[in-house]
Amino acid sequence: MISFRRRFHSTALAETGLYADWGTGVKIKSYLSNIYREVCKDTGGKNESSKLIVVVRLLTLVMLVYTLATCILSLLSGHRGGVAFYLVSLVFFIVIFIMSYKYSTFVSYCILNVYILAWVFANIICFGWNIGVQLFLITLLLFCYFSRYRHEPAKVCYSILLIWLRIFLYYYCQNHSPIITLSPIINDAFQIVNTLAVFGSISIIAYIFSTDTQTLEGKLIEYNEKLQQQAHTDTLTGLYNRRRTMEYLDGLFHSATSQISICLCDIDFFKKVNDTYGHDVGDVVLQTLSQTFRQELPKDCFISRWGGEEFLLIFPQLNGDEAVSALETLRQKIKSIVFDGGTETFSVSMTFGLVEYDYRSDLNSLLKQADEKLYIGKESGRDRIVF
């Protein structure tokens, strides 16, 4: 039955043409993958960039396509000399591509550069300045600075050579007519093809050599963000730590435009929890209460672990009475949580010391007042809000 279904499925696909299309798509994908692997094949040179040889080959392929296009343009324009010139150029670029698998990366790079320089010179002598082939000198200039690590003096000297060559060719064309005169339409067509080839070459160079830089930069940004988060976050609870809290309060007080309420609170008899059930259970209590803070308090409430079992809650938009209401809901919720102590279950309570910013007191005074009210709450029976 299964075999029949498979035969039917294959037959149906073949009849609809889907099977053939799928197989063709796989073959094309496999063929392109093989080409990509061949282009990326390393020549094995010691201490040489694997990316450089890839760029050399890709640029050679771009020049092959470009030369083929210009050969067709010359053929359409009826210039046999142009056809012969670009056919010879085509053969040379094919040879350079093959040589990139025979020689070291740097040798292949030098061969390609020397030939493109000679090729640009010959192009301008034959067809003149207006076809725009001098733009390839910009490609070589960019390629030079990405090609090798350091070697700044050599790069500067090569840059000067390219600049001098471009100026020389410009003034040469002012005083000499090209060997082959092209019609304005063919000139324009050459300009378009040259522009596409040059911008394509520059894009390939910039993309391949900048990918790693962008990736590393992105990883560095992510790493710095992670470090910053770790520096500002309590590891156990995921809440802000004391350092980040002081930074936040300092900024908040300097730009205060509304009511601010600050609450210092801690877990009642937390030492007894650790002594009775162990520190692992105590950690679970701290984590659970931290999650409860996030769920029950207003979204703009700044929640931090002040130290040990103490927490600091900052309400940037609430006055004292409004903060009391929010804290009362939190207090009741905390009392309803049941923890597993292993041999038995238990619950905890919290005491809260709340102060309201009076626009006169400094930060240290407010924190001291909150601590004093927390102490009053502890002394008067715990599990309460003192405001």
Side-chain angles (χ1 to χ4, degrees), residues 226-244:
K226 191 176 293 184
L227 285 179
Q228 188 175 17
Q229 183 180 6
Q230 290 174 351
H232 290 163
T233 306
D234 174 63
T235 306
L236 178 64
T237 63
L239 301 178
Y240 291 114
N241 58 19
R242 191 169 187 143
R243 174 184 174 183
R244 175 67 185 109

Side-chain angles (χ1 to χ4, degrees), residues 266-268 285 288-289 292-293 296 327-339 345-352 381-385:
D266 77 354
I267 306 169
D268 298 330
V285 171
T288 303
L289 294 184
T292 305
F293 289 154
E296 299 298 325
L327 290 173
E328 180 59 28
T329 302
L330 175 66
R331 188 182 71 85
Q332 295 294 341
K333 179 65 178 180
I334 289 171
K335 289 181 64 177
S336 68
I337 300 173
V338 178
F339 296 96
T345 59
F346 67 95
S347 298
V348 297
S349 63
M350 291 191 70
T351 303
F352 304 83
R382 292 182 168 83
D383 187 22
R384 64 193 62 210
I385 302 167

Side-chain angles (χ1 to χ4, degrees), residues 144-199:
C144 162
Y145 280 94
F146 277 117
S147 61
R148 291 174 70 82
Y149 177 61
R150 295 181 178 172
H151 300 278
E152 282 78 8
K155 292 178 181 179
V156 171
C157 291
Y158 189 55
S159 301
I160 294 172
L161 172 65
L162 292 174
I163 294 169
W164 175 85
L165 181 61
R166 189 186 187 283
I167 295 172
F168 169 79
L169 289 172
Y170 174 77
Y171 282 104
Y172 174 87
C173 291
Q174 299 298 312
N175 301 301
H176 298 80
S177 298
I179 297 172
I180 300 173
T181 303
L182 300 175
S183 66
I185 295 176
I186 298 299
N187 258 329
D188 292 342
F190 267 91
Q191 275 283 0
I192 294 171
V193 173
N194 280 322
T195 300
L196 291 174
V198 169
F199 276 79

Side-chain angles (χ1 to χ4, degrees), residues 305-370:
R305 187 180 180 190
W306 196 241
E309 68 272 25
E310 282 190 334
F311 300 87
L312 190 70
L313 312 176
I314 305 166
F315 302 91
Q317 300 292 332
L318 303 184
N319 59 34
D321 294 332
E322 292 168 332
V324 167
S325 177
L327 290 173
E328 180 59 28
T329 302
L330 175 66
R331 188 182 71 85
Q332 295 294 341
K333 179 65 178 180
I334 289 171
K335 289 181 64 177
S336 68
I337 300 173
V338 178
F339 296 96
D340 183 6
T343 57
E344 60 180 351
T345 59
F346 67 95
S347 298
V348 297
S349 63
M350 291 191 70
T351 303
F352 304 83
L354 177 67
V355 294
E356 181 183 303
Y357 180 45
D358 56 7
Y359 295 96
R360 294 190 304 273
S361 304
D362 59 29
L363 178 55
N364 290 330
S365 298
L366 285 174
L367 292 174
K368 184 178 179 181
Q369 292 174 36

Side-chain angles (χ1 to χ4, degrees), residues 214-231:
Q214 292 172 354
T215 302
L216 289 173
E217 186 177 354
K219 287 182 178 180
L220 183 61
I221 291 172
E222 291 176 2
Y223 181 67
N224 286 336
E225 289 176 349
K226 191 176 293 184
L227 285 179
Q228 188 175 17
Q229 183 180 6
Q230 290 174 351

